[in-house]
Amino acid sequence: MMNYFVLGIFIFLLLESFVYTQEVEVVVENKDNQCDAYCFKVLRPMLEHISVMQERWEFCNSSKLANTSSRLDKIESQLVAQEAKDVSYAAAIEETKMKLLEQKSLIENQKNINRKPFQKVGSKYYYIEEIQQLNWFGAAHKCLEFGAHLISLDDQQELNAINSKLNPVNAYWTDINDLSEEGTFLSLTSGVRAKFLNWRTGEPNNADRSEHCVYLFGAYSHMNDFKCSSPKYFICESFDA
Ligand SMILES: [Ca+2]
Ligand SMILES: [Ca+2]
């Protein structure tokens, strides 16, 4: 009897479990049927947000592309303009270069016209003028035109060397003078007292109180003070010696 009672309880529980399972399946099935509307409702804000973001991205992307394209066009224009400028500069530089070369050529030609054959005597270079006679100032200026100065003797050795090149009958201006102070003989080149003097006997005599420039007489290598306005030959000494 007891066994039948237990068996009955077991069968009852089994039937209850079956009924519950069916009910759960029905609920889930109903939820599945309702998901379309439900899920759309839940996801709609997210989908709208994604759509907005996509539109923004597309707008930004197209805007960036347009901006980049515009910048590239501007850079290309600048490069073309710069290239044109470079060509213009190159032409200007070439033109200036040609003008400078022309100027250089003219200067060289002028130098060749003015250049005199300086000769090395001892350790220095001299130009000895044997054709044209000028007063002392004109002679000093002419030497400057040659890029030189009137001879400025340092010692007896230099005098002996240059004397061997002179015409014995000619007189040649030197750079020595006492224009600033009578009796004080200065070198025009250095502006200080002449380093070397080799007076002829009786000189300097400052004849007529008007002899303030010194020439060198070729025959004896002697010096004499004389009128600066008197035309004489002259000796130029190069600064490059
Ligand atoms: Ca004098
Ligand atoms: Ca004299």
Side-chain angles (χ1 to χ4, degrees), residues 177-179 181-185 204-207 209-213 225-226:
N177 69 92
D178 68 342
L179 288 164
E181 182 181 354
E182 179 55 39
T184 300
F185 291 91
N205 62 353
N206 195 32
R209 299 181 179 179
S210 59
E211 295 185 335
H212 308 304
C213 295
D225 59 337
F226 210 72

Side-chain angles (χ1 to χ4, degrees), residues 123-180:
S123 60
K124 293 183 177 180
Y125 287 85
Y126 305 93
Y127 166 69
I128 302 170
E129 177 58 61
E130 301 279 13
I131 299 174
Q132 186 181 24
Q133 295 189 86
L134 298 173
N135 66 42
W136 186 81
F137 301 100
H141 185 263
K142 186 61 72 176
C143 286
L144 285 175
E145 284 186 350
F146 298 158
H149 56 85
L150 282 172
I151 187 170
S152 181
L153 292 162
D154 287 335
D155 49 36
Q156 183 68 49
Q157 184 179 0
E158 183 180 356
L159 178 64
N160 292 340
I162 193 66
N163 189 64
S164 66
K165 306 292 182 182
L166 303 180
N167 187 328
V169 300
N170 287 345
Y172 305 86
W173 286 125
T174 71
D175 76 335
I176 301 169
N177 69 92
D178 68 342
L179 288 164
S180 61

Side-chain angles (χ1 to χ4, degrees), residues 17-31:
S17 175
F18 175 74
V19 170
Y20 176 77
T21 301
Q22 290 297 316
E23 288 176 351
V24 169
E25 286 178 356
V26 169
V27 170
V28 170
E29 186 177 352
N30 289 337
K31 289 292 184 182

Side-chain angles (χ1 to χ4, degrees), residues 57-100:
W57 183 85
E58 288 175 353
F59 174 76
C60 290
N61 201 32
S62 61
S63 178
K64 282 182 179 178
L65 282 173
N67 190 32
T68 302
S69 177
S70 174
R71 290 174 65 184
L72 286 173
D73 289 343
K74 191 179 290 183
I75 290 170
E76 185 180 5
S77 299
Q78 289 174 346
L79 285 173
V80 170
Q82 187 61 44
E83 189 176 354
K85 281 183 180 177
D86 289 345
V87 171
S88 176
Y89 288 155
I93 289 171
E94 189 63 25
E95 185 179 353
T96 303
K97 185 180 174 183
M98 294 303 295
K99 285 181 179 177
L100 287 173

